[in-house]
Amino acid sequence: MTELKRNEAARRVEELRREIERHNYRYYVMDAPVVSDAEFDRMVAELAALEKAYPDLVTPSSPTQRVGGAPREGFTSARHFTPMLSLANAFGADELRDFDRRVRGALPGEKTAYVVEPKIDGLAVSLTYRHGEFVRGATRGDGETGEDITPNLRTVRSLPLRLLRDAPPLVEVRGEAYMSKDAFMKLNERREEAGEPPFANPRNAAAGSLRQLDPGITANRKLDLFVYGVGYAEGVAAASHHETLAWLAAQGFRINEQFRLFEDIKQAVDYCLTWQQKRFDLPYTIDGMVVKLDSLEQQQRLGTTLKSPRWAIAFKFPPEEAVTTLKEILVSVGRTGVLTPTAVFRPVHLAGTTVIRATLHNEDLIREKDIRIGDRIVVHKAGDVIPEVVRSMPETRTGRETVFTMPRNCPVCGAGTVREEEEVALRCPNISCPARLKESLLHFASRNAMDIRGLGRALVEQLVEKGMVESVADVYTLSEDALMRLERMGPKSAANVVGEIEASKKRDLSRLIFALGIRHVGERAGKVLAGRFGTLERLMSVTEEELTAVPEIGPKIAASMRAFFAEPQNRAVITRLINAGVNIKSTAAAAAARPLAGKVFVLTGALTGLTRDEAAARIELLGGRVASGVSRRTDYVVVGENPGSKLDKARELGVAVLDENDLRTLLAPRT
Ligand code: IVH
């Protein structure tokens, strides 16, 4: 009897894993999902519930294990089966042709072909699969020995935890883990919001995310993976590099779709040069192309030097830099009052676009780099995305350049600027500064906050300048009549905006928290806080200790929250938002408040920490049901001291058995 229920669960677990893997592959490797996110989440939730009831069914390669697991003390080292070499570089077409001459010189009279593929700018990884299961992931390290980062790599969704077909006993796959330009920009936005230093480029972001002792952090970073080769294998039949790539793709790996096979070097060179131009169109950064001799047997005969194979070479793109002239440094005031200097220069073509400005971050940086107005400057794009001033060129100065200093007064409202202790930033302290108000309104209305379409910069400028809006709460007092009197506002657009404003009242609490623009409180913190505390009133009354007790909420966020809510002006704005009918409840919290929905419990034996009635009340509060007798429909039997026959019955039916501690965990508040 017991076996049967367990067997049934085991069968369902396997079925769910196959399905989840298939959808995961469709979504992250093929980029062509066939089910909704909700349906996918439901399958993962069912699998997680089954694994919780039958912990012995959990395996390291179960899709539920992608979340990260517990932080570790340090990394252990991982010896590579064969050394992870690096590539020799070719700068320019001539050096590629030299490479070809060397290759053909060593293979006289033989036919040769090359595969050319993008050189991904990420972090080299080694992935070991035993009998088709992902068992070890490692960094390159010194080439002989790397660091074991298996739990971190498990969180990368495009990495298959199990191979798809005819898995060999042992295969070590090599590839590049990276972060897309888009994920990199979003991550940096989040970091700046949280007061953390941004990453310089996607490669650093990928490396920083993978080399985390806490894989839970890695799981929150959008990392991706392309594989490009096999380091060591028993039983992989491929005669060429392009066949290896096909084999890898058939096993469920993501390979780069831009690879091409060429019979002669001229076409290979052309292909490299084409990508030198087109590279900025890709959603990820590449720093060159890799040219590889296709035949594995020929590769073998050519062999390697100590550092790199003789059969492959990296065609490196020249770094994208441009020289221009710095015309002026503008100072803008952000939502939190921070003054940010921006370099405005003569237009230059850079990494696929025309660029005219770049942030200079703060005064210290301008001083450090000795950047003066009128200077010739070198500009580039960090990770092909973010324009930056690399350096000035003092050797070209004429003497007419001027040293820049930050203004003593806010360039918008004239208030004296202040520099807070331990901060590099200069601030406008006036909370009614029109610049701050405009930015606060734009943030409040932005897509991921209250999502009020139509409340864009042009409208916000007018509303603030005409004195129609003095805080975000005033947004909810705007009428069609009032809006219609503004420039570029017909009756139709006015009605639309009012409709959007009305609709925004229903947004979830998590968005409202984010929309308030509290320092260090980003979208993620908004979600976590809404989920944990449920209502805005509750959130306004919690202590700093209660805040820091929430996972992911650190002292910086907690202090900032308290300071924000302690400010009478902010409290007044919130009261007005509430009176206007803005929703201050969390729907996620409501769902999270019933985590035991549909679960049937049976209690037996004496509990020590709470009475059976109390336990039953708590279970019901969280959406569960308490039944008196054990049946096949029972989800959990909770066993106290001196349990009766119900425990035997549970064992007989294979129902999950919990002790008081397990119950406590289930009943504990979650976020
Ligand atoms: S093949 C024997 N192919 O570039 C070395 N490497 O110095 C075989 N890389 O860190 C490397 N994209 O991780 C190869 N398509 C690609 C690549 C690639 C990026 C990285 C590699 C290593 C460096 C080579």
Side-chain angles (χ1 to χ4, degrees):
M1 241 0 209
T2 312
E3 272 311 295
L4 195 100
K5 182 130 184 189
R6 196 188 164 285
N7 283 348
E8 238 170 67
R11 195 191 44 72
R12 179 69 182 143
V13 159
E14 187 47 33
E15 185 173 80
L16 283 164
R17 284 182 190 158
R18 290 266 169 234
E19 273 295 277
I20 292 166
E21 281 165 5
R22 187 167 77 85
H23 294 305
N24 199 65
Y25 176 76
R26 297 284 315 190
Y27 190 97
Y28 290 101
V29 180
M30 304 285 286
D31 199 12
V34 287
V35 290
S36 69
D37 289 1
E39 177 62 7
F40 183 80
D41 291 346
R42 197 202 56 72
M43 286 188 267
V44 176
E46 187 186 343
L47 176 60
L50 279 169
E51 288 181 351
K52 192 161 180 189
Y54 300 94
D56 58 314
L57 292 180
V58 178
T59 64
S61 54
S62 172
T64 56
Q65 304 304 302
R66 286 200 190 267
V67 289
R72 288 151 301 163
E73 294 279 314
F75 293 107
T76 54
S77 54
R79 228 187 134 69
H80 302 303
F81 295 87
T82 58
M84 285 181 85
L85 302 177
S86 57
L87 291 166
N89 292 326
F91 298 96
D94 283 345
E95 293 189 17
L96 268 188
R97 287 186 280 263
D98 290 344
F99 162 74
D100 173 57
R101 262 190 290 278
R102 284 197 300 276
V103 167
R104 282 186 301 116
L107 305 167
E110 295 182 35
K111 246 180 113 98
T112 52
Y114 296 107
V115 170
V116 182
E117 58 196 33
K119 184 167 183 298
I120 314 297
D121 198 7
L123 191 77
V125 291
S126 146
L127 314 165
T128 306
Y129 291 78
R130 275 188 203 279
H131 299 290
E133 289 221 11
F134 176 58
V135 291
R136 191 186 81 173
T139 61
R140 176 168 177 269
D142 63 6
E144 297 282 335
T145 311
E147 282 170 337
D148 188 321
I149 51 165
T150 312
N152 309 63
L153 280 166
R154 248 190 218 122
T155 70
V156 177
R157 302 292 162 142
S158 44
L159 178 147
L161 296 175
R162 292 197 291 192
L163 301 184
L164 288 182
R165 52 181 62 104
D166 307 328
L170 178 66
V171 59
E172 189 227 352
V173 174
R174 292 184 178 171
E176 196 85 351
Y178 70 95
M179 192 177 284
S180 73
K181 294 180 194 173
D182 191 50
F184 162 67
M185 280 198 290
K186 290 199 175 123
L187 172 62
N188 268 357
E189 271 168 33
R190 270 198 282 152
R191 287 177 69 85
E192 296 207 51
E193 213 148 46
E196 293 161 348
F199 287 108
N201 53 51
R203 181 164 41 86
N204 289 7
S209 303
L210 268 182
R211 295 190 65 261
Q212 284 284 342
L213 286 171
D214 179 357
I217 297 178
T218 317
N220 282 326
R221 307 268 175 91
K222 280 208 166 127
L223 289 168
D224 232 312
L225 176 75
F226 278 124
V227 302
Y228 52 68
V230 168
Y232 178 82
E234 292 168 9
V236 175
S240 63
H241 182 59
H242 78 271
E243 282 173 29
T244 305
L245 291 177
W247 184 85
L248 288 166
Q251 290 295 351
F253 288 101
R254 205 161 151 256
I255 60 164
N256 192 289
E257 64 279 21
Q258 308 301 348
F259 83 90
R260 295 288 181 276
L261 180 64
F262 298 110
E263 303 247 307
D264 71 50
I265 194 70
K266 187 179 174 307
Q267 292 166 307
V269 170
D270 286 347
Y271 195 60
C272 290
L273 293 172
T274 307
W275 276 109
Q276 183 164 325
Q277 297 305 316
K278 283 204 301 184
R279 64 177 143 146
F280 306 112
D281 303 342
L282 291 171
Y284 44 85
T285 46
I286 64 174
D287 57 347
M289 300 296 281
V290 185
V291 179
K292 298 174 182 173
L293 185 63
D294 191 43
S295 155
L296 299 188
E297 187 271 325
Q298 287 179 334
Q299 288 186 3
Q300 277 276 308
R301 275 191 285 139
L302 274 175
T304 71
T305 69
L306 267 186
K307 278 197 251 142
S308 49
R310 292 199 184 85
W311 44 264
I313 197 155
F315 173 81
K316 296 281 275 218
F317 297 141
E320 267 292 290
E321 284 188 347
V323 174
T324 181
T325 303
L326 180 61
K327 293 202 299 192
E328 57 179 327
I329 294 177
L330 293 180
V331 177
S332 59
V333 183
R335 159 166 71 82
T336 55
V338 172
L339 271 62
T340 308
T342 303
V344 180
F345 38 79
R346 291 232 178 90
V348 273
H349 197 72
L350 196 61
T353 60
T354 300
V355 194
I356 54 165
R357 58 177 77 214
T359 174
L360 290 167
H361 300 287
N362 55 58
E363 195 172 14
D364 290 4
L365 188 119
I366 301 174
R367 197 120 304 143
E368 257 163 49
K369 294 192 174 172
D370 185 23
I371 296 167
R372 303 183 192 178
I373 297 164
D375 263 348
R376 296 287 282 163
I377 50 171
V378 177
V379 292
H380 83 150
K381 275 190 193 167
D384 291 350
V385 241
I386 304 159
E388 270 177 359
V389 178
V390 182
R391 60 178 183 275
S392 62
M393 301 171 71
E395 66 279 10
T396 64
R397 279 185 188 145
T398 62
R400 271 171 300 170
E401 298 76 13
T402 53
V403 172
F404 169 83
T405 47
M406 287 291 271
R408 283 162 175 270
N409 295 89
C410 170
V412 179
C413 73
T417 52
V418 292
R419 191 174 204 164
E420 274 162 36
E421 252 178 273
E422 286 180 42
E423 282 203 18
V424 278
L426 209 60
R427 285 172 194 282
C428 165
N430 172 15
I431 52 168
S432 323
C433 171
R436 293 184 59 172
L437 180 55
K438 283 177 195 170
E439 296 305 320
S440 305
L441 285 166
L442 285 169
H443 172 75
F444 187 80
S446 65
R447 174 73 82 74
N448 298 338
M450 299 301 269
D451 194 16
I452 309 177
R453 313 252 165 105
L455 192 56
R457 194 165 285 275
L459 182 52
V460 162
E461 297 263 336
Q462 295 192 66
L463 292 172
V464 172
E465 268 150 35
K466 296 213 158 61
M468 291 165 70
V469 169
E470 287 174 355
S471 81
V472 294
D474 290 334
V475 167
Y476 293 97
T477 65
L478 294 171
S479 65
E480 281 179 44
D481 281 351
L483 287 174
M484 251 155 47
R485 272 177 256 128
L486 299 173
E487 280 165 43
R488 278 169 295 170
M489 268 287 159
K492 203 161 163 210
S493 3
N496 277 345
V497 173
V498 170
E500 286 284 340
I501 291 173
E502 192 57 33
S504 77
K505 290 181 183 172
K506 297 201 185 65
R507 304 278 181 259
D508 190 71
L509 173 63
S510 58
R511 284 170 169 266
L512 178 60
I513 297 169
F514 173 56
L516 289 173
I518 306 166
R519 276 183 80 195
H520 307 316
V521 180
E523 261 185 276
R524 174 77 199 150
K527 284 198 184 115
V528 171
L529 291 167
R532 176 65 186 83
F533 296 108
T535 72
L536 190 57
E537 283 125 323
R538 173 94 179 87
L539 192 58
M540 287 172 78
S541 65
V542 295
T543 63
E544 254 178 83
E545 288 71 41
E546 282 176 278
L547 285 166
T548 45
V550 180
E552 292 184 63
I553 303 299
K556 240 180 178 166
I557 295 182
S560 174
M561 295 280 296
R562 288 312 311 145
F564 183 88
F565 290 127
E567 179 68 48
Q569 256 177 300
N570 293 336
R571 299 185 80 93
V573 167
I574 289 170
T575 307
R576 292 186 54 216
L577 287 172
I578 296 172
N579 291 341
V582 172
N583 169 51
I584 53 161
K585 288 204 171 66
S586 160
T587 46
R594 294 177 55 80
L596 302 181
K599 297 283 178 224
V600 180
F601 287 74
V602 171
L603 308 176
T604 176
L607 301 175
T608 52
L610 67 178
T611 67
R612 295 238 312 246
D613 282 347
E614 280 166 354
R618 295 273 297 137
I619 289 169
E620 278 158 15
L621 196 69
L622 299 181
R625 198 162 65 77
V626 178
S628 53
V630 180
S631 77
R632 247 174 244 288
R633 255 170 274 153
T634 312
D635 292 286
Y636 300 106
V637 171
V638 182
V639 179
E641 277 167 31
N642 305 319
S645 61
K646 288 175 186 168
L647 175 58
D648 301 331
K649 182 89 193 212
R651 292 214 170 113
E652 187 190 314
L653 293 177
V655 172
V657 173
L658 307 179
D659 63 17
E660 188 168 342
N661 258 332
D662 300 332
L663 179 67
R664 231 179 257 287
T665 316
L666 270 186
L667 298 180
R670 302 176 222 205
T671 51

